[in-house]
Amino acid sequence: MKKLFTKEFVIGLSVIMAIVILFFGIDYLKGINLFKPANFYLANYKNVAGLEVAAPVTIEGYKVGQVREIKFNYSNPADIEVLLALNKELRIPEDSKAVIGSGLLNGAYVEIKLGKSSKMIEVGGQISTETLPDMMASISNDLLPSVQSVMPKIDSLLFNLNRLVSDPALAKSIQSLDGITQNLYQATGSLNGVMGKDVPVILGSTKRVATNLDTITRNLGALSAQLKELPVASTMDNVNEITANLAKFSNQLNDQKSSLGKIMNDPELYERINKVTADVDSLILDIQKNPKRYISIKLL
């Protein structure tokens, strides 16, 4: 009976399997997953410097696909065709752009800037493209001229700094600062001595003052207690009674119907009292001058 799997058949099958595994393995190592479903779109560029197969395709930094193939368009040598494999669920508006960008560490990539159109690009269609300036070229064109313009100023600054450092006045100033530092050190030592000698005396005086204040406070407390024990209520009652009597007396003086009021307010009575007083004075003077007229003494 003839064998079905000869040695030559097994070797051939192994070679074919190895080639298939190698093909898919190389793509896998590149980051290409041939078994993952994807939608393909075309993008034409004038320059794809730095862009490689399996480079990421992102939207706002999120990976949504990868570059599957880069091919030179021989029918139109001005264009280079890039095949983009994007997630199956992703839909691209017509006014979107596929922009090639590059970073210092991660190389070139394709950034899709989604548009706002309601009409979508059909699968297999072409996406408008745009190329950002190369980062190193931007650094050379923008940053280096600024650096070159700053370099003369840095040289001038370093020259002036060297002049300042080599100036004898600077060394003299440093020596003066050393002397000031030494004086401050001595002053600090003197201050420490004063603090150690006089501060205890000051603290003792402060303690005595505090003791005197405590004594004064206790005396004030005793005085306050004595003031509380005084018959303030009865005294105020007597004062109020005296005030009421004075008010009553004042009212009587002002009342023309009362005796005191009549004496104080009747002019005629006042004149009569004055006349009586004058008559009494005249009578007393006449008695002093002529006592015999009023006193008769008979001798037996």
Side-chain angles (χ1 to χ4, degrees):
M1 182 176 179
K2 191 176 181 180
K3 291 183 178 181
L4 180 62
F5 297 105
T6 62
K7 182 184 295 185
E8 291 78 5
F9 178 79
V10 172
I11 293 174
L13 182 61
S14 300
V15 170
I16 294 173
M17 290 181 63
I19 293 173
V20 172
I21 292 173
L22 179 64
F23 175 78
F24 287 104
I26 292 174
D27 285 341
Y28 180 78
L29 292 175
K30 289 181 179 179
I32 299 174
N33 187 358
L34 297 176
F35 300 100
K36 183 179 180 180
N39 291 331
F40 293 91
Y41 296 87
L42 287 176
N44 293 331
Y45 295 96
K46 303 296 182 185
N47 188 349
V48 292
L51 187 66
E52 298 179 353
V53 175
V57 180
T58 63
I59 295 178
E60 300 295 339
Y62 180 78
K63 184 178 178 181
V64 294
Q66 59 184 177
V67 175
R68 182 61 61 85
E69 186 179 58
I70 301 175
K71 182 173 64 176
F72 186 78
N73 188 354
Y74 291 97
S75 61
N76 186 8
D79 290 336
I80 299 175
E81 292 183 354
V82 177
L83 182 64
L84 305 178
L86 304 181
N87 293 344
K88 198 77 173 177
E89 298 83 6
L90 182 64
R91 295 293 178 267
I92 308 297
E94 277 191 344
D95 54 348
S96 301
K97 289 184 179 297
V99 182
I100 295 179
S102 61
L104 291 175
L105 299 178
N106 54 0
Y109 59 91
V110 177
E111 172 77 15
I112 295 180
K113 296 182 178 180
L114 294 178
K116 298 181 179 180
S117 176
S118 59
K119 190 175 181 181
M120 303 297 166
I121 300 175
E122 294 181 0
V123 176
Q126 187 167 336
I127 304 175
S128 300
T129 61
E130 182 179 347
T131 304
L132 294 177
D134 183 66
M135 183 173 293
M136 296 303 297
S138 300
I139 293 174
S140 300
N141 297 330
D142 299 333
L143 184 60
L144 289 181
S146 301
V147 173
Q148 291 175 356
S149 64
V150 171
M151 288 302 297
K153 298 180 181 179
I154 295 176
D155 292 338
S156 176
L157 179 62
L158 292 176
F159 176 75
N160 293 329
L161 183 60
N162 289 329
R163 288 183 57 188
L164 179 62
V165 171
S166 60
D167 193 348
L170 179 61
K172 187 176 180 180
S173 299
I174 293 175
Q175 292 177 357
S176 300
L177 288 175
D178 291 338
I180 293 171
T181 304
Q182 184 65 28
N183 293 332
L184 288 174
Y185 179 76
Q186 294 177 358
T188 304
S190 300
L191 181 59
N192 290 332
V194 171
M195 292 291 290
K197 181 178 179 181
D198 294 339
V199 168
V201 178
I202 296 172
L203 292 176
S205 300
T206 305
K207 186 176 181 180
R208 288 193 297 271
V209 171
T211 303
N212 294 333
L213 289 176
D214 292 338
T215 303
I216 293 171
T217 304
R218 287 195 297 270
N219 293 335
L220 289 175
L223 178 60
S224 176
Q226 292 176 2
L227 290 175
K228 286 183 179 180
E229 294 177 358
L230 290 176
V232 178
S234 60
T235 303
M236 291 302 298
D237 293 337
N238 293 333
V239 171
N240 292 331
E241 185 177 356
I242 293 170
T243 303
N245 293 333
L246 290 174
K248 184 177 180 182
F249 179 71
S250 177
N251 292 331
Q252 289 179 357
L253 290 177
N254 293 325
D255 189 4
Q256 296 181 2
K257 295 180 179 181
S258 63
S259 300
L260 293 175
K262 290 180 180 181
I263 294 172
M264 295 296 294
N265 299 312
D266 191 352
E268 184 178 355
L269 180 60
Y270 177 76
E271 293 295 334
R272 289 179 181 177
I273 292 173
N274 285 337
K275 185 177 179 182
V276 170
T277 304
D279 292 341
V280 171
D281 289 338
S282 299
L283 178 60
I284 293 172
L285 291 174
D286 188 54
I287 291 172
Q288 290 176 353
K289 291 179 181 181
N290 304 304
K292 295 180 179 181
R293 185 183 298 175
Y294 301 93
I295 300 172
S296 61
I297 300 173
K298 293 183 181 182
L299 297 175
L300 297 178

